[in-house]
Every structure is written in structure tokens, then in C-alpha cells.
Amino acid sequence: QQQVKQSPQSLIVQKGGISIINCAYENTAFDYFPWYQQFPGKGPALLIAIRPDVSEKKEGRFTISFNKSAKQFSLHIMDSQPGDSATYFCAASAGSARQLTFGSGTQLTVLP
Amino acid sequence: EPEVTQTPSHQVTQMGQEVILRCVPISNHLYFYWYRQILGQKVEFLVSFYNNEISEKSEIFDDQFSVERPDGSNFTLKIRSTKLEDSAMYFCASRGDSLSYGYTFGSGTRLTVV
């Protein structure tokens, strides 16, 4: 019940295309859903996050879509660039300690 | 921009030895965490620390592990009697206060147990 399931495992997109990564969760206590970007040899960096009281959040080329009833959320990267090539993790947290439960990651490659 | 600093960046240790991984969280943050990432796998929660005590820990965080905040700036993870399967990237993270949910992660320490 604590798992966050992420798909796809890997994604190849042409420059300028849209990258879409999906996540699903079971634990209805989760109330914070961040996406992290990780480059090789680096720690995860917070990209964008959403609370369940909104269905969409947009920051620049990055958008989170959130479907509370389906317990799913997704990351959309518009106008994907080669510099976006990285591993993307969805995550969820709940409770006072706010420990993060991560998805398994998506390795995104944007071709020039 | 404030950073979480981890040292060393890479540590190689013999199986059975003790290691201490060090972290300097962002100075005004109140919540501290350790996560680990086995090569090619997802990031896993180990422990959270608040008000000088452990607030949550995972099943991974057994008696082999301990955390300490020995002074006002450092946050350490000690692994006693290391095993081969402890080889992983260990990330320290910090979070501001109860109203800020976003973490700042360090760049990690790659621990290799041989």
C-alpha cells in the first residue's frame, strides 16, 4: 500500500516533443506529490510538486496533472530539450515526518 | 542557493568495517533525512530526524545503522559492520519546517563495500 508505481521505465523523445511520465499510488493518506530530476552522480532535485486539492500545476515547460479519484498523477514536459535527459522520479509523502516514497524512476532521453 | 553538503563523495570500505557518512544540512532547516539508492534502483527512505531524535525509520534502518547530530551543523549516518549489500549511494536531505514539504538533497556518498 505504500508503493508508488511509475511508468514507463525508459522514454525516448525527439527534441521539441512532449514527454509524459505516469505514476499511481494506493495510500490515500498521501497528500504531497513531488517530481524529482536526477542527473548521473547527483542527488535528486525537486522539479515540481502538487497537493491533492488541485488537478493541475504548471511551472514553465513542466506540468503535473493529478487525478485524485484515480489515484494517479503524471508529469508532462513540453518542448523537451536534450538538457532534460535525466532520470525522473515521482514521489509521495504523508504524515508529520513527510518521508518520501519514491517511484522506480524513468530514464528520459531527448534526442537532438 | 543553499546546499546540503555530503562528505566523502566516495568511500570504499572492507566488509565488516564501520563507516560514518557526514552531512551538513541547510543551516535553518529543522528536519533531516537519510535515503539510499542501490545502483539502478529507486531511492529508499532510511530515517528521519527531528528535534534531536529519530521521528521515523524504515525496515532497512536496523540496529546496524545509527544517526547523530553531534553539533549544530553536522548530521551523520553510521553503519556498523558493513555488508556487501550496503553498497549504494547514500543521500542526506533536509527540510525547512513543518509547513515546507520540499526537500533539498545532497549530492550523495557512494559507498562501496568490498
Side-chain angles (χ1 to χ4, degrees):
Chain A
Q1 192 182 17
Q2 285 292 329
Q3 282 189 340
V4 176
K5 295 182 179 180
Q6 183 172 346
S7 63
Q9 187 176 0
S10 63
L11 181 62
I12 299 174
V13 174
Q14 292 285 343
K15 178 183 175 182
I18 302 173
S19 304
I20 302 174
I21 305 170
N22 301 298
C23 284
Y25 64 98
E26 289 294 326
N27 186 355
T28 55
F30 287 143
D31 62 357
Y32 175 71
F33 302 88
W35 284 89
Y36 283 85
Q37 180 188 56
Q38 185 180 32
F39 292 104
K42 299 294 185 182
L46 180 63
L47 192 61
I48 188 172
I50 197 168
R51 300 290 306 276
D53 51 345
V54 297
S55 60
E56 185 174 282
K57 183 174 182 181
K58 183 176 181 179
E59 290 184 0
R61 295 185 295 110
F62 302 93
T63 300
I64 299 179
S65 296
F66 186 82
N67 186 328
K68 188 174 181 179
S69 61
K71 291 185 282 188
Q72 295 175 348
F73 59 110
S74 60
L75 175 69
H76 296 234
I77 306 175
M78 310 300 287
D79 188 25
S80 299
Q81 299 296 312
D84 297 332
S85 297
T87 300
Y88 292 80
F89 292 95
C90 62
S93 74
S96 58
R98 305 241 59 100
Q99 66 198 65
L100 290 170
T101 299
F102 281 85
S104 54
T106 296
Q107 187 166 351
L108 172 65
T109 303
V110 182
L111 300 176
Chain B
E1 187 171 333
E3 290 184 341
V4 173
T5 305
Q6 289 186 245
T7 55
S9 57
H10 190 189
Q11 179 149 2
V12 181
T13 189
Q14 295 275 349
M15 188 170 56
Q17 295 296 305
E18 175 182 287
V19 295
I20 297 177
L21 309 184
R22 304 182 188 278
C23 170
V24 179
I26 293 173
S27 61
N28 61 347
H29 282 189
L30 301 177
Y31 296 81
F32 312 111
Y33 304 84
W34 284 100
Y35 285 77
R36 81 172 185 189
Q37 185 178 29
I38 295 171
L39 186 63
Q41 298 187 22
K42 67 180 178 181
V43 181
E44 299 175 290
F45 168 74
L46 292 178
V47 65
S48 61
F49 193 87
Y50 171 71
N51 201 25
N52 285 319
E53 61 183 22
I54 291 173
S55 50
E56 295 282 347
K57 60 181 181 179
S58 71
E59 293 176 350
I60 303 168
F61 194 88
D62 58 21
D63 292 342
Q64 182 193 8
F65 295 88
S66 62
V67 290
E68 193 176 37
R69 190 159 161 79
D71 53 41
S73 59
N74 291 285
F75 180 49
T76 62
L77 174 68
K78 181 188 292 185
I79 309 174
R80 288 180 284 273
S81 188
T82 50
K83 299 176 283 200
L84 295 176
E85 53 265 38
D86 294 328
S87 296
M89 281 289 283
Y90 288 81
F91 293 106
C92 173
S94 68
R95 179 168 71 88
D97 56 33
S98 59
L99 297 179
S100 62
Y101 293 177
Y103 284 39
T104 301
F105 280 86
S107 292
T109 293
R110 178 169 298 284
L111 176 65
T112 302
V113 182
V114 297

